[in-house]
Amino acid sequence: MTEAPAGSSEHRRPVVVPVIALLTVTVVGIVALLGGLEEVEVPPKTLSQGAVLDQGLYSTRFVEARVTVEKGELTFEEDKRFVEMVFDVTNLGDETMSVGMPPAKPDQAGFGSSFANSLVRITPAIKEGKGPFTFALAEEDQTNQLHPGTTTKVVVRYRLDAGERPPERMTLDVATFAYEPGFQDETVRWQMVTEQAGEKWVPTVQAKVTLPVKTGGSA
């Protein structure tokens, strides 16, 4: 019987390379080409009047910003002018929530779950002593409650000085909420989505909303 010559196909054995290994090599090569594994920072959404934002705990429609005038009750009382930001807010949770107040500084918002607490920055900034004032409208009455499954009109306002011109627009930095355990308290609950900035945890701005300010009285 004649031996097969060296290099003959009878002595060759196929080498099987698993598909997963090929994929791993390919992915590693792409990552190396792009400079390594790095988190891609997602910029906030840019929204305008009429937009709807899913905030996790709330679904919010940014209705408008406007100037309103409250007439003085007495003849010698001056009229009061306000810039109002109006929202249609739906409580998506299972519990009644508070309208709340916008934080004085963004890093003071991280522990609240009220609606207005998610308005982490308002530009132009509101002057000290001029607001903000917040309330919800339930029929013709004012309230501070947002009931589950209910859409409620919410107003955030501040007062203008005598002769002060209102801004052309208001810009809101808006955060969202997640139903998850906390860092120290592992109780699962609604809490604001935050990120680390130096030694502090600050709200993650999910959207920047710009509202033109309507003038000429109540809308």
Side-chain angles (χ1 to χ4, degrees):
M1 185 174 186
T2 307
E3 293 184 2
S8 168
S9 60
E10 293 183 19
H11 292 282
R12 293 175 186 164
R13 307 185 72 174
V15 177
V16 179
V17 179
V19 174
I20 187 65
L22 293 175
L23 290 176
T24 301
V25 171
T26 303
V27 171
V28 170
I30 293 174
V31 170
L33 182 63
L34 296 177
L37 290 171
E38 294 183 1
E39 289 188 9
V40 178
E41 184 175 344
V42 179
K45 298 178 182 179
T46 301
L47 303 179
S48 57
Q49 179 175 318
V52 177
L53 178 64
D54 181 357
Q55 294 186 263
L57 179 53
Y58 307 102
S59 175
T60 302
R61 179 172 177 263
F62 299 90
V63 179
E64 64 178 351
R66 65 194 184 193
V67 175
T68 59
V69 179
E70 289 185 359
K71 297 292 185 180
E73 296 182 0
L74 304 176
T75 54
F76 59 84
E77 285 186 333
E78 293 183 354
D79 295 343
K80 297 178 182 178
R81 295 185 306 140
F82 298 89
V83 172
E84 293 185 342
M85 291 153 279
V86 184
F87 313 87
D88 286 338
V89 181
T90 304
N91 179 356
L92 303 178
D94 298 325
E95 300 179 4
T96 297
M97 304 303 297
S98 166
V99 172
M101 292 287 292
K105 297 179 181 179
D107 59 0
Q108 297 175 358
F111 300 101
S113 55
S114 67
F115 163 71
N117 205 54
S118 69
L119 308 178
V120 297
R121 188 188 303 276
I122 298 175
T123 307
I126 298 172
K127 296 179 182 178
E128 186 175 354
K130 301 300 179 180
F133 312 104
T134 63
F135 56 89
L137 297 174
E139 297 180 352
E140 296 183 359
D141 296 325
Q142 294 184 7
T143 180
N144 190 45
Q145 294 184 328
L146 301 173
H147 297 292
T150 301
T151 301
T152 307
K153 192 169 295 295
V154 173
V155 177
V156 177
R157 56 157 44 174
Y158 69 92
R159 186 174 176 180
L160 294 169
D161 290 326
E164 181 182 359
R165 295 183 61 180
E168 294 183 358
R169 63 188 63 84
M170 301 297 296
T171 300
L172 309 172
D173 289 9
V174 185
T176 56
F177 301 87
Y179 192 67
E180 60 187 13
F183 293 108
Q184 297 178 342
D185 180 359
E186 295 186 357
T187 303
V188 177
R189 64 188 186 281
W190 285 107
Q191 53 190 331
M192 192 171 292
V193 177
T194 59
E195 59 189 29
Q196 192 167 10
E199 297 181 353
K200 295 183 178 181
W201 287 89
V202 298
T204 301
V205 176
Q206 300 289 354
K208 284 184 173 288
V209 186
T210 301
L211 303 173
V213 178
K214 297 180 180 179
T215 59
S218 301

